[in-house]
Amino acid sequence: MNPKERIARRVALEVQPGSLVNLGIGLPSMVANYLPEHVDVFFQAENGVIGLGARPPEGMEDPNLTDAGGGFVTAVPGAASIDSAMSFGIIRGGHLDMTVLGGLQVDQRGYLANWMVPGKMVPGMGGAMDLVAGAKRVVVAMVHTAKGTPKIVPECALPLTAERRVSLIVTEMAVIEPTEKGLVLREVASDSSVDDVLAATSAELIVDEPPAEMTLA
Amino acid sequence: MNPKERIARRVALEVQPGSLVNLGIGLPSMVANYLPEHVDVFFQAENGVIGLGARPPEGMEDPNLTDAGGGFVTAVPGAASIDSAMSFGIIRGGHLDMTVLGGLQVDQRGYLANWMVPGKMVPGMGGAMDLVAGAKRVVVAMVHTAKGTPKIVPECALPLTAERRVSLIVTEMAVIEPTEKGLVLREVASDSSVDDVLAATSAELIVDEPPAEMTLA
Amino acid sequence: MREAISAAAAAELIPDGSTLLIGGFMGVGSPLRMIDALIEAGRKDLTVVANDTAMPGRAIGKLVSVGAIRKAIVSHIGLNPETQAQMISGEMEVELVPQGTLVERIRAGGVGLGGVLTATGIGTPVEEGKQKVEVNGKSYLLELPIKGDFALLAANRADYVGNLEFSLTAHNFNPVMALAAETVIAEPTSIVPIGVIPPDAVKTPGVLIDHLIERAPV
Amino acid sequence: MREAISAAAAAELIPDGSTLLIGGFMGVGSPLRMIDALIEAGRKDLTVVANDTAMPGRAIGKLVSVGAIRKAIVSHIGLNPETQAQMISGEMEVELVPQGTLVERIRAGGVGLGGVLTATGIGTPVEEGKQKVEVNGKSYLLELPIKGDFALLAANRADYVGNLEFSLTAHNFNPVMALAAETVIAEPTSIVPIGVIPPDAVKTPGVLIDHLIERAPV
């Protein structure tokens, strides 16, 4: 299993029945593939649909039904079209139960940086700042290191996405929960040790109890 | 012709083809009766319809289609249902071409008081403050005096509806335009003289040119 | 997928002293069965946020008549002399808010804004005690967000996931209030299967609704 | 009752240097014929307010490619490397705005509010140079209203008075932008007689629309 699939499968366990969930583009969008088939979850895409479904059958794409990355999607029965004001009203008003986003860095305070690398990559924040500021739970889904360099750091060097402590960090090596006291190591993957995780992390991790083995959907 | 009908007939001449108009409850609502039949005007009711029509035929009232006073109305072809956020977005955003409102007092500055008499009558401002603050044109339609007491006064004693100079005052005696210089007497009714109007008005009126005779729709 | 509950069961969820956002304009688009159930259950000390208090014997006017309302935050009470009498006697506190400001304050509460900057009310008694904020040389009142413990909405149709449609002037405050309360209860005229209300016809997404009241008795 | 005009005639109304609010999200729900007409007419020095600049060769991306945009106020440029290149070279000024803040700023412009108080952007580069307002002990950024000279909208259906319907994810910024420009031009896929779109299906009332573009060629 490749690292991204493992991350997506672990994040899938965080999705609560009956909840409204926004999945970011890329890795986060894979989470939807690992949910039980009839789970009572609505996915929101910030470009304007509640009840985002899978890719449409070939030849049945609707140019007016895409996800936030511009890819063709379907709508599930019971879906609702919303405009951007309602979409972000839901996100910023605290009505979104969970968002899953990629990350460039997360730091000791639990703060996320995921929208720019000054001088190199300035895609814009899109809806990320609103999602992190407004969602009830923010789950960061990312590989543990970038070409060997830790992404979980003492303090983000990259510009922050929001001054808000995210709820959970899921990587292919570990599950880490930012708390008031700091980053608590909750789970470690079966093919990693606690020492492996500590070595791949430049932020301090709290290991009070022996972490559980990471489970996957 | 009673004073109210005369006022409504004069205000009707102010309604521009192709415009969006809000008529207050009572006297102002009578204005709609004196427009040419096929004039291209949409009436807005702040409770949520653009394209307000006349009273419905007996037995065909819809409990979900009323004016701001709770009276049954119809909707014209091309009408649109709107919620209160859109309704007041239109009013406050400067999209309403004209509102016609009743008045308790208007003063030398052109400021209107029309929503309360302290200690006596406190109905609440409803949408009046938004209408006066936001509409492109504000026309005050009211009888000239209250039991002989002038309602056009040097300075409103009653609480203001907004700190905004209204566009026009229409009474059964006269048409008066508030300007930067003060209240200009534009028209006088055929059964009144300039002196009659001055006597019934405690504010100063500017009578630079001989006022025209009031015309009616 | 929601379960429909009775208006009486909904009233059981609502404690005395709650802040209720109640949809409707002079009773049009108000959740009439829920209001009756609140009265039946003897609820009291309520704070009611609504456009108006309707007329005696109608919609929110019924709550006024039985003395269930401790405080009303409304734009208009002119058609309900009982509200005016209770305000003068001190039985009920009444905060009068311009209608456009009221809807924006509720919206701000619902969409997570810190407040509303509006010109409405400047130079009037409405500005008393309020912070003013200067923007580009123009002065605006800072009006604070409103949120409720419960929103009680009336809708035309709901589907099984709670998606709502409204009819004509019965929209009014209902769609905005759906965003602004801890618990949102919708009273539809009828409830239809999933798919009957197409996505583009949905005015309030079902994810905002916590409880549906069973359809009106036939 | 409106007259339908051609996209070319609409482009004639729009001078160089105008500020345009353009609907669409990665090109979905963008007024494609009007964009082509602007390019055909050689318009330049435009300020474009939109969610994004799409991709090269698509929708707003076409305006980027021909160098027609002097300034873009957008939330995302990640899928258009030409925008990033023009930003780095200084040919185009880019103001990046969080998507939710962008839509609220446009709405504030459209509904006459003095600004938006939001927590989004606090503690990030977005807060630089902005006034902060304290409300109930919490800090909010004061974000300023946005208005355009023109709003260019895409819609699904229009009727003869200009009432608009939108489809699925092609709503996006279009309904809000309809409120926020001096002149509003809508490009519907089809135009139907008055009465075909029932009042409850109207998302943008026709009174907000100044010009309708004739239907797409069959």
Side-chain angles (χ1 to χ4, degrees):
Chain A
M1 192 185 308
N2 72 47
K4 289 186 178 181
E5 180 180 335
R6 184 189 287 180
I7 295 167
R9 284 183 182 273
R10 176 59 188 83
V11 172
L13 297 178
E14 296 296 312
V15 177
Q16 299 299 312
S19 64
L20 177 66
V21 177
N22 179 295
L23 300 178
I25 300 173
L27 198 176
S29 72
M30 294 168 58
V31 171
N33 303 335
Y34 304 112
L35 295 181
E37 196 158 340
H38 292 294
V39 70
D40 181 22
V41 167
F42 274 102
F43 289 104
Q44 188 236 28
E46 61 264 39
N47 58 322
V49 66
I50 291 176
L52 186 80
R55 293 200 141 274
E58 187 81 25
M60 296 179 77
E61 301 87 355
D62 179 347
N64 289 334
L65 184 52
T66 62
D67 62 20
F72 293 118
V73 292
T74 53
V76 303
S81 308
I82 52 177
D83 70 3
S84 296
M86 176 62 100
S87 185
F88 282 87
I90 284 171
I91 291 169
R92 293 150 63 115
H95 308 285
L96 184 69
D97 295 303
M98 184 165 106
T99 184
V100 183
L101 292 166
L104 296 168
Q105 291 183 325
V106 185
D107 69 20
Q108 197 109 1
R109 301 166 296 182
Y111 291 176
L112 170 69
N114 81 340
W115 68 282
M116 77 175 287
V117 181
K120 278 180 83 173
M121 181 196 81
V122 191
M125 67 293 284
M129 288 189 176
D130 303 295
L131 285 162
V132 177
K136 284 187 200 160
R137 293 197 81 211
V138 177
V139 175
V140 178
M142 65 179 192
V143 292
H144 206 96
T145 60
K147 296 172 192 153
T149 306
K151 296 173 70 172
I152 303 172
V153 296
E155 188 171 340
C156 287
L158 298 172
L160 294 181
T161 306
E163 223 171 49
R164 179 237 172 112
R165 189 166 68 224
V166 301
S167 314
L168 204 67
I169 308 163
V170 177
T171 76
E172 78 284 13
M173 296 183 79
V175 177
I176 294 165
E177 185 185 358
T179 69
E180 225 165 286
K181 293 183 190 163
L183 303 175
V184 178
L185 182 61
R186 293 286 184 214
E187 299 175 22
V188 172
S190 58
D191 57 1
S192 293
S193 67
V194 170
D195 285 345
D196 292 340
V197 175
L198 293 176
T201 307
S202 65
E204 194 183 314
L205 294 184
I206 298 170
V207 195
D208 279 348
E209 316 170 36
E213 186 179 311
M214 198 193 289
T215 49
L216 302 180
Chain B
M1 193 184 305
N2 71 48
K4 290 187 176 179
E5 179 179 337
R6 184 189 286 179
I7 295 168
R9 283 182 181 275
R10 176 58 189 83
V11 172
L13 296 178
E14 296 296 314
V15 177
Q16 298 300 312
S19 64
L20 177 65
V21 177
N22 180 295
L23 301 178
I25 300 173
L27 199 174
S29 71
M30 294 168 58
V31 171
N33 303 334
Y34 304 112
L35 295 181
E37 196 159 339
H38 292 294
V39 70
D40 181 22
V41 167
F42 274 102
F43 289 104
Q44 188 237 26
E46 61 264 39
N47 59 322
V49 66
I50 291 176
L52 187 79
R55 293 199 139 274
E58 188 79 24
M60 295 179 77
E61 302 86 356
D62 179 347
N64 289 335
L65 185 51
T66 62
D67 63 19
F72 293 118
V73 294
T74 52
V76 303
S81 309
I82 52 176
D83 71 2
S84 296
M86 176 62 101
S87 185
F88 282 86
I90 284 171
I91 291 168
R92 294 151 63 115
H95 309 284
L96 184 69
D97 295 303
M98 183 166 105
T99 183
V100 183
L101 292 166
L104 296 168
Q105 292 183 325
V106 185
D107 69 21
Q108 197 108 2
R109 301 167 296 184
Y111 290 176
L112 170 69
N114 81 339
W115 68 281
M116 76 175 290
V117 181
K120 278 179 84 173
M121 182 197 80
V122 191
M125 65 294 283
M129 288 189 177
D130 303 295
L131 285 160
V132 177
K136 284 186 199 161
R137 292 198 81 212
V138 177
V139 175
V140 178
M142 64 179 192
V143 292
H144 206 94
T145 60
K147 297 170 191 156
T149 306
K151 297 172 70 172
I152 302 172
V153 297
E155 187 171 339
C156 286
L158 299 173
L160 294 181
T161 305
E163 223 170 48
R164 179 235 172 113
R165 189 166 70 224
V166 302
S167 315
L168 205 66
I169 307 164
V170 177
T171 76
E172 77 284 12
M173 297 183 80
V175 176
I176 294 165
E177 185 185 359
T179 70
E180 224 165 287
K181 292 181 191 166
L183 303 174
V184 178
L185 183 61
R186 294 284 184 215
E187 298 175 21
V188 172
S190 58
D191 56 2
S192 293
S193 68
V194 170
D195 285 344
D196 292 340
V197 175
L198 293 176
T201 306
S202 64
E204 195 183 313
L205 294 184
I206 299 170
V207 194
D208 279 348
E209 316 171 33
E213 186 179 311
M214 199 194 286
T215 49
L216 302 179
Chain C
M1 185 79 194
R2 316 269 161 200
E3 275 177 53
I5 62 175
S6 68
E12 283 306 309
L13 301 172
I14 299 173
D16 288 348
S18 296
T19 294
L20 311 182
L21 313 181
I22 306 184
F25 197 114
M26 297 297 168
V28 175
S30 281
L32 302 180
R33 287 175 286 141
M34 259 191 287
I35 288 170
D36 286 345
L38 288 172
I39 292 168
E40 187 69 32
R43 291 290 165 271
K44 56 182 195 296
D45 293 328
L46 302 171
T47 294
V48 169
V49 182
N51 181 63
D52 54 71
T53 55
M55 308 79 165
R58 170 143 172 75
I60 298 172
K62 290 187 181 178
L63 289 169
V64 174
S65 300
V66 300
I69 305 180
R70 189 181 49 74
K71 180 173 182 181
I73 302 175
V74 291
S75 81
H76 198 264
I77 58 173
L79 298 186
N80 195 330
E82 292 183 4
T83 305
Q84 301 201 39
Q86 290 186 24
M87 178 177 71
I88 290 163
S89 73
E91 285 166 87
M92 193 198 299
E93 187 187 341
V94 175
E95 179 183 341
L96 289 169
V97 181
Q99 204 167 121
T101 298
L102 184 61
V103 71
E104 286 294 330
R105 288 179 64 189
I106 298 168
R107 183 178 183 277
V111 305
L113 299 177
V116 179
L117 298 179
T118 179
T120 298
I122 292 267
T124 80
V126 167
E127 75 172 39
E128 277 164 30
K130 286 175 189 153
Q131 190 178 339
K132 282 188 195 170
V133 176
E134 192 106 349
V135 182
N136 293 334
K138 207 183 152 186
S139 209
Y140 294 90
L141 289 187
L142 170 56
E143 296 275 8
L144 300 185
I146 292 178
K147 292 197 75 164
D149 300 316
F150 297 86
L152 309 184
L153 315 179
N156 189 24
R157 295 199 301 181
D159 68 18
Y160 295 176
V161 297
N163 288 317
L164 303 183
E165 283 182 326
F166 306 94
S167 170
L168 297 163
T169 56
H171 285 69
N172 56 68
F173 279 70
N174 288 296
V176 166
M177 286 177 169
L179 287 154
E182 220 37 61
T183 301
V184 180
I185 310 177
E187 177 180 312
T189 303
S190 65
I191 305 182
V192 296
I194 293 173
V196 172
I197 303 178
D200 290 342
V202 175
K203 295 282 176 75
T204 292
V207 291
L208 296 172
I209 307 300
D210 296 294
H211 301 286
L212 279 182
I213 302 295
E214 55 195 20
R215 62 151 173 70
V218 182
Chain D
M1 187 79 193
R2 316 269 161 199
E3 274 177 54
I5 63 175
S6 69
E12 283 307 309
L13 302 171
I14 299 173
D16 287 348
S18 296
T19 294
L20 310 182
L21 313 182
I22 306 184
F25 197 114
M26 297 297 167
V28 175
S30 280
L32 302 179
R33 287 176 285 141
M34 260 192 285
I35 288 170
D36 286 344
L38 288 172
I39 292 168
E40 188 68 32
R43 290 291 166 268
K44 55 182 197 294
D45 293 328
L46 302 171
T47 294
V48 168
V49 182
N51 180 64
D52 54 72
T53 56
M55 308 80 165
R58 168 139 175 80
I60 297 172
K62 289 187 181 177
L63 289 169
V64 174
S65 300
V66 300
I69 305 180
R70 189 183 51 74
K71 180 175 180 180
I73 302 175
V74 292
S75 78
H76 198 264
I77 58 174
L79 299 186
N80 194 330
E82 292 182 6
T83 305
Q84 302 202 38
Q86 290 187 25
M87 177 178 73
I88 289 163
S89 74
E91 284 166 88
M92 191 198 301
E93 186 187 341
V94 176
E95 179 183 340
L96 289 170
V97 181
Q99 205 166 120
T101 297
L102 184 61
V103 70
E104 286 294 329
R105 288 178 64 187
I106 298 167
R107 183 178 183 275
V111 305
L113 298 178
V116 179
L117 298 179
T118 181
T120 298
I122 292 266
T124 79
V126 166
E127 74 171 40
E128 276 163 30
K130 285 175 190 154
Q131 190 178 339
K132 282 188 196 173
V133 176
E134 191 105 349
V135 183
N136 293 334
K138 207 182 153 185
S139 207
Y140 294 91
L141 291 187
L142 171 55
E143 295 274 8
L144 300 184
I146 293 178
K147 292 195 77 164
D149 299 316
F150 297 86
L152 310 185
L153 314 179
N156 188 24
R157 296 200 300 182
D159 68 18
Y160 294 175
V161 297
N163 288 316
L164 303 182
E165 283 182 326
F166 306 93
S167 170
L168 297 163
T169 55
H171 284 69
N172 56 67
F173 279 69
N174 287 296
V176 165
M177 287 176 168
L179 287 153
E182 220 37 63
T183 301
V184 180
I185 310 177
E187 176 180 312
T189 303
S190 66
I191 305 181
V192 296
I194 293 172
V196 172
I197 303 179
D200 291 341
V202 175
K203 294 282 175 75
T204 293
V207 291
L208 295 172
I209 307 300
D210 297 293
H211 301 287
L212 279 182
I213 302 296
E214 56 195 22
R215 64 150 172 70
V218 181

